[in-house]
Amino acid sequence: MILNIKNLHINYEVKNGYVSAVQDVNISLSENETLGLVGESGCGKSTLGKSLLKILPKNAKILGEISFKGQNIAQYNEKEMRKIRGKHISMIFQDPMTSLNPIMKVKDLFLETIKAHYPEIPEDEALEMSGKILSDVGIDPIRMNEYSFQFSGGMRQRVMIALSLVLKPEIVIADEPTTSLDVIVQAQIMEVLKKLKDEHKMSMVLITHDLGVVAELADRIGVMYAGHLVELSTAEKIYYEPKHPYTQALLKSIPNTNIDDRELRYIPGDLPNLVKPPKGCRFASRCPYAKEICHEKVPPDFEVDETRVKCWLYEKVKA
Ligand code: ATP
Ligand code: SF4
């Protein structure tokens, strides 16, 4: 087990209290595993992803354990985290335009990253490492002399992937890595990511609101709703035997391109207010199966047929 998250709570302090963005999440990640994290916007996916690098805004408070190779990094200070970021755990962000410094040449972005962790590596060797990873993502190393703003959106995302992987981290967190790109470029980028992940034998946390995107990549999928991890299972079970009513609704909301009218079925209702979250199940106000206890008590995690599901419907199966 490379990563083990236990009883993780993340709250954002705000004027009228705090936003309960992640509540009591328990999840682990194995070597070489790809874990998909899915859920609607605002479910806490990015908060959870960023907590693994401790790059959350200042008003965020982390409680619980984030154990990376046996060390609880939730307690690490900034100096200790700087040694982890990029070298052991790295992140591919949603929008490379804002995450890549536009006034630096691409080669300087690489040199900066490499030198931060390995100051002893000579520049020519660092440039060779950078050129190699750039060609792995399909970019001619000669373009290292250009600035990131000179690249197209898809190419910029490839630069970002190369930069995140140049130090061969054990874990890469990809947060909506293709959201801003068109469908064809999206598919190409995911292909590059999958190839490199396999070659480098990395573990990956792939965050997306789109269940379709994780379909081909993820080994297991965690479904988040309003800060709770409501279902966790293999990708196959999530697709073919979804247990939680929210997962079922999410799957139905995927547009089916085989259907002529391409009806998009949204889940009726809104996410609850996370400053005053409901007392019981956070999905209760939108759930067609809600019963009394759902409004009263947060459901525990039930193990059903190798799936972990946070829903009272499974109470009788096994507690
Ligand atoms: P998206 O896909 O839109 O990024 P998400 O599922 O990743 O959504 P988060 O961005 O993690 O969700 O947000 C979880 C909750 O925390 C939301 O209610 C959001 O409004 C809230 N939140 C995020 N950042 C802050 C902040 N700095 N201060 C207060 N609340 C915040
Ligand atoms: Fe629906 Fe109740 Fe299950 Fe929540 S616990 S998803 S409200 S049935």
Side-chain angles (χ1 to χ4, degrees):
M1 206 65 69
I2 192 149
L3 189 74
N4 203 358
I5 297 172
K6 282 195 207 153
N7 308 114
L8 185 68
H9 294 250
I10 304 169
N11 299 322
Y12 290 108
E13 280 177 1
V14 287
K15 266 192 197 144
N16 51 342
Y18 62 85
V19 177
S20 166
V22 169
Q23 198 190 42
D24 202 15
V25 165
N26 293 279
I27 199 164
S28 61
L29 183 69
S30 304
E31 279 86 359
N32 297 338
E33 183 182 35
T34 296
L35 173 73
L37 274 185
V38 299
E40 279 166 288
S41 179
C43 283
K45 312 178 295 294
S46 296
T47 300
L48 180 55
K50 286 179 185 161
S51 74
L52 309 181
L53 282 170
K54 295 190 77 177
I55 48 168
L56 289 165
K58 284 214 162 52
N59 64 333
K61 296 281 167 282
I62 302 179
L63 286 166
E65 195 179 314
I66 302 171
S67 174
F68 170 65
K69 294 207 226 164
Q71 299 290 313
N72 184 10
I73 58 172
Q75 288 176 347
Y76 275 22
N77 60 29
E78 183 54 25
K79 194 172 160 213
E80 290 167 320
M81 279 314 293
R82 259 186 254 133
K83 293 186 184 147
I84 298 280
R85 291 185 201 125
K87 186 176 175 187
H88 297 287
I89 308 179
S90 71
M91 190 148 185
I92 301 167
F93 293 95
Q94 281 180 27
D95 183 3
M97 195 59 184
T98 50
S99 336
L100 295 177
N101 187 340
I103 58 162
M104 282 171 81
K105 285 186 177 170
V106 167
K107 72 172 185 185
D108 293 325
L109 293 171
F110 278 94
L111 289 178
E112 187 182 67
T113 302
I114 296 169
K115 291 238 174 289
H117 292 281
Y118 298 103
E120 70 282 7
I121 293 185
E123 190 165 315
D124 54 348
E125 207 178 302
L127 288 175
E128 202 182 311
M129 284 163 71
S130 316
K132 163 86 181 56
I133 191 87
L134 276 172
S135 43
D136 285 348
V137 299
I139 292 181
D140 186 337
I142 200 126
R143 297 198 66 189
M144 261 197 281
N145 290 312
E146 294 176 28
Y147 294 91
S148 62
F149 71 81
Q150 293 173 284
F151 288 73
S152 66
M155 284 302 201
R156 266 199 303 270
Q157 194 54 300
R158 285 173 192 255
V159 171
M160 170 85 118
I161 292 173
L163 204 51
S164 309
L165 304 188
V166 66
L167 298 177
K168 306 207 173 4
E170 290 98 323
I171 301 178
V172 63
I173 301 154
D175 188 356
E176 307 273 12
T178 57
T179 302
S180 52
L181 307 170
D182 68 57
V183 185
I184 294 170
V185 181
Q186 257 186 27
Q188 292 167 347
I189 297 283
M190 292 320 285
E191 193 51 44
V192 167
L193 204 50
K194 182 173 163 25
K195 186 177 129 257
L196 289 180
K197 193 228 147 232
D198 291 343
E199 276 173 19
H200 294 211
K201 302 206 183 323
M202 290 180 304
S203 307
M204 178 155 76
V205 179
L206 178 59
I207 298 171
T208 174
H209 61 274
D210 185 345
L211 265 166
V213 167
V214 287
E216 287 188 18
L217 285 186
D219 301 302
R220 282 187 310 152
I221 296 178
V223 181
M224 290 196 70
Y225 183 77
H228 283 164
L229 182 69
V230 296
E231 184 160 356
L232 177 67
S233 196
T234 60
E236 208 177 343
K237 281 196 184 280
I238 294 283
Y239 275 91
Y240 298 110
E241 301 162 46
K243 302 237 168 355
H244 197 281
Y246 176 66
T247 314
Q248 292 166 358
L250 202 62
L251 279 162
K252 281 196 194 122
S253 74
I254 298 177
N256 185 345
T257 42
N258 298 322
I259 296 175
D260 278 350
D261 63 8
R262 300 199 183 170
E263 179 199 10
L264 231 186
R265 284 159 288 187
Y266 293 102
I267 306 171
D270 297 311
L271 275 174
N273 176 353
L274 294 181
V275 178
K276 287 194 181 72
K279 201 158 80 170
C281 171
R282 291 188 175 185
F283 190 55
S285 66
R286 301 169 84 179
C287 179
Y289 311 104
K291 44 188 182 172
E292 210 179 319
I293 191 170
C294 305
H295 296 281
E296 295 301 322
K297 274 178 83 179
V298 176
D301 293 329
F302 296 100
E303 288 290 333
V304 188
D305 188 21
E306 291 161 56
T307 292
R308 201 210 289 165
V309 56
K310 201 176 194 59
C311 170
W312 285 117
L313 290 180
Y314 299 91
E315 188 186 11
K316 285 195 192 102
V317 183
K318 199 175 165 195

